[in-house]
């Protein structure tokens, strides 16, 4: 009998923690969506040297659909959504290959969203050089599209947050019944 009550306390605490995290995430993402137009872009330039080499790896298969900028044998340093680069950097021919050595890359960041503005790389297998450029209007359109999809995701987040609040209120209101049932 004692174990049952301890388990119910633990279960109630777990529900409250998960609910609090869900509500916090919803509030933060709502703030991010509605202040997106005020965010200033930040720029990063990376270039491979003899001491530090960068590789471009893409995975255009669901559920990942990401571009990874990696340092070989050390892991990735940036992840970028493949959604905007399906016809250029996330093609089936280059999917999940480590053959693209980055010569130089310019990245634009809007909070946690990263976009490639310029990239030049060499395919180490075929020794073919490629260069892609995306202008500021395209990058801005990519960011606007990502924020629009975030707004649609917020509808579900708010729904689940309100449901979590309802469950927490019900548990608190009938806490003795919850423990002894």
């Amino acid at each position: 009998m004692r174990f049952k009550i301890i388990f119910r306390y633990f279960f109630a605490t777990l529900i409250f923690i998960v609910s609090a995290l869900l509500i916090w995430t919803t509030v933060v993402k709502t703030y991010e969506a509605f202040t997106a137009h005020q965010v200033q872009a930040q720029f990063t330039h990376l270039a491979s040297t003899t001491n530090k080499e960068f590789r471009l790896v893409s995975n255009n298969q669901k559920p990942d659909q990401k571009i990874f900028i990696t340092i070989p044998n050390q892991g990735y340093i940036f992840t970028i959504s493949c959604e905007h680069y399906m016809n250029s950097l996330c093609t089936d021919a280059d999917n999940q290959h480590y053959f693209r050595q980055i010569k130089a890359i310019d990245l634009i960041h809007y909070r946690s969203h990263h976009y490639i503005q310029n990239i030049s790389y060499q395919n180490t297998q075929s020794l073919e050089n490629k260069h892609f450029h995306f202008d500021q209007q395209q990058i801005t359109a990519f960011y606007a599209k990502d924020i629009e999809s975030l707004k649609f995701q917020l509808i579900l987040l708010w729904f689940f947050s309100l449901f979590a609040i309802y469950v927490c209120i019900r548990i608190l209101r009938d806490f003795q019944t919850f423990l002894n049932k």
Side-chain angles (χ1 to χ4, degrees):
M1 191 65 162
R2 184 104 173 117
F3 177 74
K4 181 179 173 183
I5 292 175
I6 292 172
F7 176 76
R8 296 263 174 140
Y9 271 115
F10 174 75
F11 190 58
T13 305
L14 186 65
I15 290 172
F16 293 135
I17 290 171
V18 169
S19 298
L21 290 174
L22 180 62
I23 293 164
W24 177 254
T25 301
T26 304
V27 169
V28 168
K29 290 296 181 182
T30 302
Y31 176 77
E32 180 181 336
F34 288 106
T35 60
H37 63 281
Q38 300 170 355
V39 175
Q40 296 296 317
Q42 296 178 343
F43 300 92
T44 301
H45 176 77
L46 300 173
S48 290
T49 62
T50 55
N51 295 336
K52 188 178 271 186
E53 177 184 333
F54 298 104
R55 295 282 178 150
L56 182 71
V57 181
S58 62
N59 182 6
N60 63 2
Q61 304 298 316
K62 289 186 178 183
D64 289 339
Q65 291 187 318
K66 298 257 187 227
I67 296 172
F68 300 95
I69 298 171
T70 66
I71 299 174
N73 301 321
Q74 294 183 15
Y76 67 88
I77 54 174
F78 287 106
T79 60
I80 301 162
S81 174
C82 258
E83 179 182 358
H84 310 297
Y85 304 101
M86 286 300 224
N87 297 328
S88 54
L89 298 172
C90 289
T91 61
D92 287 335
D94 294 322
N95 196 37
Q96 297 182 358
H97 294 295
Y98 288 85
F99 301 136
R100 296 182 285 180
Q101 179 184 12
I102 297 171
K103 290 181 179 179
I105 186 169
D106 293 320
L107 298 166
I108 295 180
H109 316 281
Y110 294 96
R111 288 194 182 127
S112 63
H113 300 276
H114 308 289
Y115 303 99
I116 297 173
Q117 185 173 30
N118 293 308
I119 184 168
S120 61
Y121 64 86
Q122 180 182 35
N123 187 323
T124 57
Q125 189 176 32
S126 66
L127 299 178
E128 179 184 10
N129 291 320
K130 286 194 178 180
H131 177 78
F132 290 99
H133 171 74
F134 302 94
D135 61 26
Q136 188 62 39
Q137 292 172 340
Q138 287 175 303
I139 302 289
T140 305
F142 294 164
Y143 181 60
K145 186 176 180 184
D146 287 344
I147 293 301
E148 280 301 311
S149 69
L150 176 63
K151 287 180 182 178
F152 286 114
Q153 293 168 1
L154 279 174
I155 294 169
L156 287 175
L157 275 174
W158 275 107
F159 174 75
F160 285 118
S161 294
L162 292 174
F163 183 73
I165 291 171
Y166 171 75
V167 168
C168 289
I169 290 172
R170 288 293 306 243
I171 289 173
L172 285 175
R173 192 175 69 181
D174 301 326
F175 193 67
Q176 288 300 324
T177 307
F178 178 77
L179 286 179
N180 298 320
K181 194 170 187 178

